[in-house]
Amino acid sequence: MRLWSLGSGSRGNAVLVESGSARLLIDAGFGVRTLQERLRAIGVAPQSIGACVVTHEHADHVKGAAQAAARWGWALRATAGTIAACPALSNAAPFAAGDTLDLDGFRVETARTPHDARESVAVVVTATRSGARAAI
């Protein structure tokens, strides 16, 4: 498993997780153009990502999520509370905090976190192929 932080801070957050040919993005807090530039800088084609999980509705975590998912065919997932708080995510498939998601070569365990957001989560990502794990 490999991880790349595409950025972390008030201007945007995104973490790419890769295992074999499977790729998962946690948060997409940059505009589509910036996401594309940062992915290309690490040699990753945006359309090679299978899914994006949004941890909460703050702009620095969600800014490009819906548009990028639509443009590049990503599955988009967020909690029902996050979707309700961010209308741009209306096409995201909802999950409840505490659910486990199976997404394109990854098992994603979610846990509610204390934050000033509607229904924020942390995630533990396990590569189903290797068993490697990362918490975000």
Side-chain angles (χ1 to χ4, degrees):
M1 177 187 287
R2 294 194 305 177
L3 296 157
W4 287 274
S5 175
L6 301 179
S8 177
S10 60
R11 292 181 184 225
N13 294 273
V15 175
L16 181 68
V17 183
E18 178 184 78
S19 177
S21 63
R23 293 188 171 120
L24 171 69
L25 193 65
I26 307 299
D27 289 331
F30 299 98
V32 172
R33 191 175 337 183
T34 300
L35 277 170
Q36 185 172 24
E37 289 169 1
R38 290 179 184 219
L39 288 166
R40 285 199 176 143
I42 61 170
V44 172
Q47 61 273 19
S48 71
I49 296 169
C52 176
V53 175
V54 176
T55 61
H56 64 288
E57 73 272 10
H58 291 168
D60 60 325
H61 291 262
V62 71
K63 183 177 183 177
Q67 188 179 4
R71 179 177 288 182
W72 294 310
W74 305 343
L76 187 58
R77 303 297 305 267
T79 63
T82 296
I83 294 167
C86 183
L89 295 176
S90 63
N91 289 333
F95 65 87
D99 283 356
T100 297
L101 314 172
D102 288 314
L103 300 170
D104 191 30
F106 299 99
R107 173 154 284 169
V108 181
E109 299 167 74
T110 68
R112 184 179 296 273
T113 58
H115 194 36
D116 63 342
R118 187 90 168 261
E119 189 180 8
S120 63
V121 295
V123 297
V124 176
V125 180
T126 304
T128 54
R129 195 173 126 195
S130 68
R133 301 181 86 194
I136 302 163

